[in-house]
Amino acid sequence: MITLTIDNREITAKEGATLLQVCLDHDIYIPHLCYLEGMEHAAASCRLCFVEIEGVAGPVTSCTTIVKEGMVVKTDTEVVRHLQRASLQLLLSVHHVDCAHCPANRKCALQDMAKFLKVGLKPKYLEQHLKEPEIDQGHPYLDYYPNRCVLCGRCVLVCKNSHDRPFLTFAKRGLDTVISFYEEDRAEMPCDECLACVEICPVSALMKRKVG
Amino acid sequence: MTKQNNSDEERIILEDIESRLSSFGKDRWNLIPILQMIQTRHHYLPADAIRMVANYLDIAACEVYGVATFYNQFRFNPPGKHPIQVCLGTACHVSGGDIILENFERKLGIREGETTEDREFSLERVACVGCCALAPVAVVDKIVHGRMAPSKVEGLLLGFQIEKEKQERAKRSDESNL
């Protein structure tokens, strides 16, 4: 066990734990999207979980930082909040903000974080970039909404954890990046029974197709 | 070209790929070199080849697909007889390259990255062909066409159509002469 200071609180943590996990375990909320408990290599792709550490130049992502003895961490500084707001606003600029018609309404990770960071859901200074089509029904059992998706990659990760040969992947790149499956895998898909990706999605971008 | 011909052609491609796979190791970092080998030799990645590569490296087919869609150099459709490349580099972009691309898409009835059903034309976007002074630029059959305009798109395609009809007529008259 090691001791560190987070937001002026003395905290003991297990050696080798990530800073983000230690904070979450002690009810210190840090906004995050792409991190999953127990993941081996955090992707740090959502750029939300920044913290400042005394003696380290610039903010760092807490999901990729391993706790050290005597670390002094601040999670609520001006610089950190500025970065988090910018990341969230960029995510919202490619998100179809249509909460009233969205099944994730009120249990949505984006809404929670916007409230926490005091960010409007429609960023004023950024253009909206939406993808087409609004809904992708290529998958035999699932509907995918690219404009709800924030590309956190949790679904890809749980798919990889639940199946030797996963069925979900990122496809294309840049602003065109989507979560995709491979058309030719269709016949072997166990997705109607698994649904791990649907459950993990923080924004209801993957939904089980309603039959009839 | 008939369906039969197509599947024969694909079978030959797959046999060729299969015979070359063994020269690569089975570690997953061989994925991109293998895809590049297929792309260089056959100019596109057939669906069955993706599965074959996945099985060979013992990874999921969707993973191969994900990697292949990330890089612009990999195509999923066989090239047409007349490949068309529309430049969307900086200079072409600001002078309306996207309008030219949209024109080709509409006239040919295909999207960027696809091939027409008769395998005559394939369409792709490229980033800078190196003659920005001529923007917007399209490269058709490896010939650079500068200062493109919608009327020129129409003219180019009409030229091919006339050429094709001429050839067909010549072929027909040859046959009737025999």
Side-chain angles (χ1 to χ4, degrees):
Chain A
M1 296 301 264
I2 56 172
T3 320
L4 68 163
T5 315
I6 304 174
D7 291 345
N8 303 324
R9 254 173 76 186
E10 204 149 279
I11 281 169
T12 46
K14 239 201 250 159
E15 225 162 300
T18 63
L19 187 50
L20 177 59
Q21 191 59 54
V22 171
C23 287
L24 295 176
D25 288 346
H26 289 83
D27 285 330
I28 300 169
Y29 177 65
I30 296 177
H32 63 280
L33 270 177
C34 66
Y35 176 82
L36 276 181
E37 194 171 343
M39 76 198 297
E40 240 173 272
H41 301 285
S45 58
C46 69
R47 315 312 289 170
L48 281 163
C49 67
F50 285 106
V51 294
E52 279 195 280
I53 300 173
E54 217 161 79
V56 177
V60 292
T61 47
S62 57
C63 65
T64 53
T65 308
I66 304 296
V67 287
K68 276 202 204 103
E69 180 66 46
M71 228 178 204
V72 179
V73 182
K74 291 249 187 300
T75 70
D76 186 19
T77 67
E78 197 53 44
V79 182
V80 162
R81 293 298 182 230
H82 186 77
L83 278 173
Q84 288 172 336
R85 282 191 194 110
S87 299
L88 182 62
Q89 283 174 328
L90 284 168
L91 283 175
L92 287 167
S93 75
V94 290
H95 181 78
H96 187 194
V97 182
D98 185 24
C99 303
H101 300 104
C102 178
N105 195 12
R106 288 163 199 276
K107 45 184 181 177
C108 164
L110 291 177
Q111 284 177 337
D112 295 347
M113 280 189 291
K115 200 170 163 197
F116 179 80
L117 292 170
K118 301 192 184 70
V119 168
L121 284 171
K122 297 202 171 170
K124 282 179 203 139
Y125 315 105
L126 297 169
E127 256 178 58
Q128 276 262 305
H129 271 276
L130 295 182
K131 290 171 188 153
E132 286 200 32
E134 184 65 28
I135 173 168
D136 177 354
Q137 298 194 300
H139 191 284
Y141 308 108
L142 307 174
D143 289 342
Y144 174 63
Y145 295 80
N147 289 327
R148 285 184 196 159
C149 182
V150 287
L151 298 170
C152 62
R154 289 194 202 187
C155 51
V156 176
L157 196 78
V158 289
C159 192
K160 210 172 265 175
N161 290 344
S162 336
H163 307 283
D164 288 344
R165 296 220 178 163
F167 298 93
L168 280 179
T169 178
F170 288 107
K172 304 189 191 169
R173 69 169 156 183
L175 282 174
D176 297 324
T177 312
V178 285
I179 298 294
S180 178
F181 70 101
Y182 183 50
E183 186 66 40
E184 309 283 322
D185 276 339
R186 198 168 261 283
E188 308 153 26
M189 285 182 179
C191 306
D192 56 333
E193 282 153 24
C194 172
L195 296 179
C197 54
V198 173
E199 275 153 37
I200 203 93
C201 182
V203 290
S204 298
L206 277 169
M207 304 275 289
K208 187 178 177 12
R209 184 165 311 132
K210 287 197 183 96
V211 186
Chain B
M1 200 175 282
T2 61
K3 266 240 159 74
Q4 187 58 42
N5 267 340
N6 274 344
S7 62
D8 274 355
E9 193 186 314
E10 224 177 271
R11 194 173 44 82
I12 293 165
I13 290 176
L14 289 174
E15 278 168 12
D16 177 76
I17 296 169
E18 197 166 21
S19 69
R20 273 158 212 281
L21 275 182
S22 54
S23 63
F24 293 89
K26 294 210 173 203
D27 304 298
R28 53 186 298 136
W29 53 77
N30 283 304
L31 173 57
I32 291 177
I34 291 174
L35 293 181
Q36 282 172 322
M37 176 276 286
I38 299 172
Q39 176 70 37
T40 316
R41 291 187 61 80
H42 305 291
H43 312 291
Y44 79 110
L45 311 176
D48 287 333
I50 289 183
R51 181 155 302 262
M52 191 187 275
V53 173
N55 286 339
Y56 181 76
L57 296 177
D58 197 19
I59 56 179
C62 82
E63 219 171 322
V64 178
Y65 174 74
V67 169
T69 55
F70 183 86
Y71 297 99
N72 226 1
Q73 59 172 297
F74 300 122
R75 323 289 308 168
F76 297 93
N77 293 301
K81 211 163 100 195
H82 307 291
I84 299 170
Q85 294 160 326
V86 180
C87 181
L88 288 182
T90 313
C92 291
H93 172 76
V94 295
S95 53
D98 53 336
I99 297 173
I100 304 304
L101 179 64
E102 197 263 343
N103 252 281
F104 274 116
E105 286 183 331
R106 202 152 30 87
K107 297 256 157 62
L108 295 172
I110 53 173
R111 301 284 295 271
E112 173 256 322
E114 293 178 351
T115 304
T116 52
E117 205 146 301
D118 57 5
R119 299 276 285 273
E120 284 287 317
F121 300 100
S122 56
L123 186 60
E124 63 180 311
R125 51 180 286 185
V126 292
C128 200
V129 285
C131 49
C132 306
L134 299 177
V137 172
V139 184
V140 183
D141 280 343
K142 296 191 177 157
I143 298 165
V144 174
H145 297 265
R147 304 203 201 292
M148 284 299 289
S151 59
K152 276 191 163 181
V153 172
E154 196 148 359
L156 269 170
L157 296 180
L158 194 66
F160 281 119
Q161 203 186 335
I162 291 170
E163 189 60 33
K164 197 180 164 194
E165 276 166 17
K166 220 193 266 174
Q167 276 174 7
E168 269 166 17
R169 226 169 326 165
K171 213 164 119 194
R172 263 205 301 274
S173 68
D174 271 359
E175 275 165 9
S176 58
N177 281 345
L178 279 175

